[in-house]
Amino acid sequence: MARDLPLLISPQGLLPALGDSGLLIVDLGQSSVYQQAHVPGAIHLDFRQLQRNTPPAPGLLPDDAALETLLGSIGLTPDTHVVAYDDEGGGWAGRLLWLLDAVGHSRYSYLDGGIHAWLADGMPTESTPTQPRPVSYRLGRKNLRTDVPFEEMLRRHTDDNVVIWDARSREEFDGRRAFALKGGHIPGAVHYEWTEAMDKSRNLRLRDLDAVRAELAERGITSDKEVITHCQTHHRSSFSWLVGKILGFDNIRGYAGSWAEWGNHPDTPVEKDLK
């Protein structure tokens, strides 16, 4: 059986667990990168399967039938411990872990820095694809606290105990760049771009956690609030959600509809910071 692994695991921490039964390592990077080098035993998953991919809100969770097909295809069981990584600093890996959390599967870890850190640390790799072992997967009780539906977001975004963490670029947040009918941000939202937590000098590992926690606190993103992350399609903000989980934020959620839904809806309020 897979040993107990922490939510944030280093390459050195994962190495001794390779080959453990019950451990499922999932590579969510580009297929071309996976074919060149991946963590031994890792399967490759096309990140497009993690979203519904239908307008106006392509980032919504797949429907139940699609979720069962997806999770069965990778061989997920209640006892499986999933380790996710990618080649972009954690966006798609975070999305998979957020999805697992949403369906009530809590046995998961994130490989800090993904394939870049793994290679930089001189860890062993494979180039031959690992084939998953499909199972018949049936959804159980979902974790209804993981995802925030549109109606709740519209009703609660101004609550005093709620802080909206906008993980998009500053240009998107300000309204100078838009990928929806409306540009700007949800009123009262706080900006902290998803890449700010990454250490580009250390192969996209997470930066010092105390430093990240302090930066978030300066912007009002603290663990005593209900924190809701979003971006355009809840890809980038899935990493922000994951960072919050790693920091010990027990009450952190993701708005899967994100700006694609909010910015295209005729009845949503919007703020801009154009200067």
Side-chain angles (χ1 to χ4, degrees):
M1 296 294 291
R3 64 196 77 190
D4 290 332
L5 300 176
L7 175 56
L8 180 66
I9 189 167
S10 67
Q12 292 78 14
L14 179 58
L15 184 63
L18 297 183
D20 281 7
S21 63
L23 180 66
L24 176 62
I25 306 175
V26 184
D27 182 314
L28 292 122
Q30 301 173 72
S31 176
S32 58
V33 176
Y34 175 81
Q35 292 169 16
Q36 293 177 56
H38 55 265
V39 175
I43 67 168
H44 184 260
L45 179 61
D46 184 344
F47 53 74
R48 290 173 293 185
Q49 297 184 65
L50 303 177
Q51 300 184 331
R52 192 171 299 185
N53 296 312
T54 55
L60 294 177
L61 276 168
D63 62 32
D64 288 357
L67 284 170
E68 290 183 341
T69 298
L70 168 64
L71 298 176
S73 72
I74 65 174
L76 187 73
T77 74
D79 296 325
T80 302
H81 190 103
V82 177
V83 175
Y85 74 90
D86 56 39
D87 56 7
E88 62 165 14
W92 289 118
R95 175 71 192 207
L96 173 61
L97 300 186
W98 177 85
L99 182 152
L100 292 177
D101 200 85
V103 301
H105 189 95
S106 59
R107 295 176 57 83
Y108 53 74
S109 302
Y110 169 61
L111 175 59
D112 195 12
I115 192 63
H116 297 294
W118 186 265
L119 293 172
D121 286 0
M123 296 297 169
T125 62
E126 292 179 343
S127 57
T128 302
T130 297
Q131 299 302 319
R133 299 177 180 177
V135 297
S136 178
Y137 183 88
R138 292 293 176 265
L139 285 174
R141 180 177 297 177
K142 291 182 180 178
N143 181 358
L144 300 180
R145 293 291 303 165
T146 302
D147 188 17
V148 181
F150 172 76
E151 294 77 10
E152 181 180 351
M153 194 70 173
L154 187 62
R155 185 178 71 252
R156 300 190 58 230
H157 71 277
T158 56
D159 286 2
D160 290 340
N161 66 330
V162 171
V163 57
I164 309 302
W165 176 352
D166 190 323
R168 297 176 300 160
S169 69
R170 172 55 71 175
E171 291 78 12
E172 291 170 89
F173 181 83
D174 290 346
R176 288 177 284 132
R177 191 177 189 190
F179 299 100
L181 292 176
K182 293 183 280 191
H185 56 266
I186 297 173
V190 178
H191 181 255
Y192 189 89
E193 190 168 350
W194 71 303
T195 57
E196 291 187 61
M198 301 176 196
D199 190 340
K200 296 179 180 179
S201 69
R202 297 181 59 246
N203 311 107
L204 301 184
R205 290 173 172 88
L206 278 175
R207 292 173 47 227
D208 177 78
L209 294 181
D210 288 336
V212 173
R213 183 182 288 106
E215 291 171 356
L216 291 171
E218 288 175 359
R219 305 183 200 191
I221 303 173
T222 53
S223 61
D224 62 321
K225 298 286 186 70
E226 179 177 344
V227 180
I228 301 174
T229 70
H230 85 87
C231 58
Q232 179 71 21
T233 63
H234 197 43
H235 155 218
R236 294 170 285 179
S237 55
S238 287
F239 179 69
S240 300
W241 170 87
L242 176 60
V243 170
K245 294 282 283 188
I246 292 168
L247 291 174
F249 288 18
D250 295 328
N251 196 10
I252 187 165
R253 308 170 68 191
Y255 170 36
S258 280
W259 193 256
E261 183 173 58
W262 192 275
N264 283 310
H265 197 284
D267 300 325
T268 49
V270 169
E271 288 183 345
K272 294 185 178 182
D273 287 349
L274 298 177
K275 297 176 182 179

